[in-house]
Structures are given as C-alpha cells and as structure tokens.
Amino acid sequence: MDTKTLLTQHEEKMDKTIEALKRDLASIRTGRASTTLLDRVTVDYYGTPTPIKQVANVSAPEPRLITIVPWERKMLGEIERAILKSDLGLNPNNDGTMIRLEIPQLTEERRKDLNKKVSKVAEESKVVVRNIRRDGNEVIKKMEKKREITEDESKEAQTNIQKLTDKKVKIIDEIKAKKEKEVMEV
C-alpha cells in the first residue's frame, strides 16, 4: 500500500465520522419542529425494532408541531410509548387516528443543556478523527520501519495526515457552531 491510498482511506473514515456527527446532531431538538427528531426512536413492529418513519407518515405541518399518522392504526399505542420512553422530553397527543407532538418553547436553561450535549457530541467526533490520525501515523511508521517508504516520504505522509485532521476538525467546529446557534435561537 502506498501513502496516497492510506491517506484516501483515512479521509473516508473521517468523512464517515462527520456524517455520523450530523446524524447525531439532527436528533438533538431545537425550538423548531423537525421530523429528524424521531430518527432514533424505534417501535416494536412485529417483534422487530423499527424506526417510526418506516411504520408511519411523519410530517411537520407547523413550526412547533410534528404529526405522526401510522399506516396501521394498532401502531398508535406503540409509537406513543416509544416517544414517551425516548429522551426527547415530548408528550404525544393521541387522538385515535394520529399522534401530535407539540414542540414546547425551550427555556434558557434547557438551551444551555442542549448546547452542552452538542459540544460533547462534537468533541467525541474530534476524538474519533484524532484516533484515525493516530492509526494512520502508526501505519506510516511501520511502513518506514519495514523500509517500504523513505524517511522523507514518512514525514510528508504524516504532515499530510495532520493537515487532513486539522481540516476535518475545523469542519466539525463549524457544524457544532451552526447547531449551537440553531439551539440558542428563540
């Protein structure tokens, strides 16, 4: 394996980490209704944990309301229980045909708590990216030790992997700042 292939592989891993961060942050609620809030909530559908979006039509018709219309009426109770068990802190309103989730205005304290959660999730992603860098550097050092690459190539590859890491950490910081701003918006 050459250093370019190694760098490409590690960049792909870092990109996957950033995608996972985006998914994680999408499930953190802001003051606005978004169907992505329910992405991590699963219901028991014939013995299989299934995302709500696969058993119901989920929409956000108003800025502070999410509606859930199950394809099978008997799923109403299951969906309601799953939302109550989740860490969303929302109270489902079941009218017999659909579930309405009213998104309450966030208090200042709750916004600060959510921002701490955003920071924690972003920091975990940075740690993953740094671990990927460390793994890449270890592979490069082993290649140099086995005389597969020269010392200069090793230093250049390590410099490139560091530049890549810095770039990805900057992207994570930008995503974090955007989400924090979204959470603090009244």
Side-chain angles (χ1 to χ4, degrees), residues 21 122 125-126 129 168-176:
L21 169 68
S125 294
K126 287 182 191 177
V129 166
K168 299 303 178 183
V169 166
K170 185 176 182 231
I171 291 170
I172 290 171
D173 284 335
E174 289 167 0
I175 293 169
K176 174 186 159 220

Side-chain angles (χ1 to χ4, degrees), residues 86-104:
S86 72
D87 63 350
L88 293 174
L90 298 174
N91 291 322
N93 182 353
N94 183 345
D95 71 3
T97 57
M98 75 164 47
I99 294 175
R100 287 181 177 82
L101 289 176
E102 290 188 32
I103 310 297

Side-chain angles (χ1 to χ4, degrees), residues 70-86:
W71 296 319
E72 296 177 32
R73 187 172 270 176
K74 68 178 184 157
M75 290 303 296
L76 276 169
E78 284 288 334
I79 293 171
E80 192 173 10
R81 278 191 293 283
I83 292 169
L84 286 170
K85 276 196 282 184
S86 72

